[in-house]
Amino acid sequence: MEKSFSEIKELLIRKGLKATHQRIVIYHLLFNSFEHPTAELLFDKLKINNPSISLGTVYKTLDTFVQTGLAEKVLSETGSDRYDANLSSHHHIYYTDTKEIVDFYDSELQDLIIAFLNKKSIPNLKIKDFKIQIHGEKIDMVENQIN
Amino acid sequence: MEKSFSEIKELLIRKGLKATHQRIVIYHLLFNSFEHPTAELLFDKLKINNPSISLGTVYKTLDTFVQTGLAEKVLSETGSDRYDANLSSHHHIYYTDTKEIVDFYDSELQDLIIAFLNKKSIPNLKIKDFKIQIHGEKIDMVENQIN
DNA sequence: TCTTAAATAGGAATTATTCCTATTTAAAAT
DNA sequence: ATTTTAAATAGGAATAATTCCTATTTAAGA
Ligand SMILES: [Mn+2]
Ligand SMILES: [Mn+2]
Ligand SMILES: [Zn+2]
Ligand SMILES: [Zn+2]
């Protein structure tokens, strides 16, 4: 699933973006991150191999990615914005104890909700998409029961 | 549904909080707001009748409410944090064009998802709750179909 | 009414993000 | 391969959102 620099370069050009070194390395790192990183975290990691990259560029580039549909912001209650280049339809588990945000895929749930919303029809609303956050904590045993 | 100052006072005391004037008026305003206001918006409105209230107190008080379970933060991608004293189980519609965040109640959907998550069981996760954001735009016609 | 621990006001400090502009660079044109 | 140029970046200043600090005030119990 890892994308090479040349694949990323093509992707950027396809989106009408200039394929700069900064955009390539930022996208590469974000795409291969599964932690939904902040701009600052990406910046700190990028600096190692790109010592002259600037934090402003990381912010601006992430915003460009969001505008062009190459990435999404992941909602967070605490602190800074987090980003995700995983565009496959998925939701997020928020571990309240460890602060991790972990991808949650479930096509059955996805279909269930889409079917429900299509059936339901909310007056005066054209739905574009929906996002679910599941909040909980890490446990040792396999167990879960809500409500 | 409007709560009187004395009811709010009781509520605060029941939660183990000192029933200060600031907490009472902040809770009162938040509870009767349906816009999921920011701290700054609450502050601006509160100043009219409470000219000496401070923004820091509004922030701190809202945090106290969140900690004691009297209010919740409502996730937002843009700008400042928003708050909600409506604790009945509900989700939110985000109007991308008007920036409004509107309550969405649907016990059928709620039950559907709870049943699904209970059946499913995610390894090593103890689910506490879940939140859904429905993103879309205001339209004139009653219409909706996703995917 | 007195006492006191907790809360507030007001402002300073910090964090997260955006803005500014001189310099650099990707990529189109030659 | 070189030149041109509009767009992007680096680096730092500015701003927005929030938290922190502390002298003063206040709720509530003795
Ligand atoms: Mn915040
Ligand atoms: Mn933000
Ligand atoms: Zn994700
Ligand atoms: Zn709400």
Side-chain angles (χ1 to χ4, degrees), chain B residues 76-91:
Chain B
S76 167
E77 293 184 24
T78 49
S80 16
D81 291 340
R82 301 176 68 156
Y83 294 86
D84 194 349
N86 175 0
L87 299 178
S88 64
S89 185
H90 71 286
H91 298 286

Side-chain angles (χ1 to χ4, degrees), chain A:
Chain A
M1 285 291 201
E2 159 120 23
K3 282 182 178 142
S4 67
F5 277 19
S6 57
E7 286 172 310
I8 294 169
K9 191 169 173 174
E10 280 174 42
L11 176 60
L12 292 168
I13 290 166
R14 209 180 319 132
K15 288 286 184 176
L17 299 174
K18 232 160 112 171
T20 65
H21 181 69
Q22 289 85 339
R23 283 175 176 164
I24 292 166
V25 296
I26 293 169
Y27 183 87
H28 183 262
L29 180 58
L30 179 60
F31 189 80
N32 292 107
S33 297
F34 294 90
E35 58 207 321
H36 308 90
T38 63
E40 190 91 36
L41 179 66
L42 290 168
F43 175 64
D44 287 341
K45 291 186 176 179
L46 288 162
K47 266 192 305 197
I48 297 165
N49 292 310
N50 308 271
S52 74
I53 202 167
S54 83
L55 180 57
T57 296
V58 175
Y59 272 106
K60 189 169 186 313
T61 299
L62 289 169
D63 185 58
T64 300
F65 289 169
V66 171
Q67 301 316 320
T68 55
L70 286 169
E72 288 186 357
K73 275 193 190 183
V74 174
L75 295 174
S76 167
E77 292 182 26
T78 48
S80 16
D81 292 339
R82 301 177 67 156
Y83 294 86
D84 194 349
N86 174 2
L87 298 178
S88 63
S89 186
H90 70 286
H91 298 285
H92 291 111
I93 299 171
Y94 287 63
Y95 288 95
T96 47
D97 42 2
T98 67
K99 315 290 183 209
E100 286 169 286
I101 299 177
V102 174
D103 286 339
F104 175 71
Y105 297 88
D106 194 303
S107 56
E108 193 186 336
L109 180 60
Q110 189 70 14
D111 295 346
L112 203 71
I113 295 174
I114 289 172
F116 181 89
L117 292 174
N118 280 337
K119 166 167 65 76
K120 175 83 182 180
S121 182
I122 301 163
N124 302 313
L125 173 67
K126 170 69 184 161
I127 297 176
K128 286 168 53 191
D129 68 348
F130 63 91
K131 300 185 196 306
I132 306 172
Q133 292 93 39
I134 301 172
H135 297 258
E137 53 189 49
K138 277 248 169 70
I139 51 166
D140 291 334
M141 293 291 292
V142 176
E143 165 216 339
N144 81 330
Q145 206 68 204
I146 46 175
N147 253 18

Side-chain angles (χ1 to χ4, degrees), chain B residues 36 84 90 92 103:
Chain B
H36 307 92
D84 194 349
H90 71 286
H92 292 112
D103 285 340

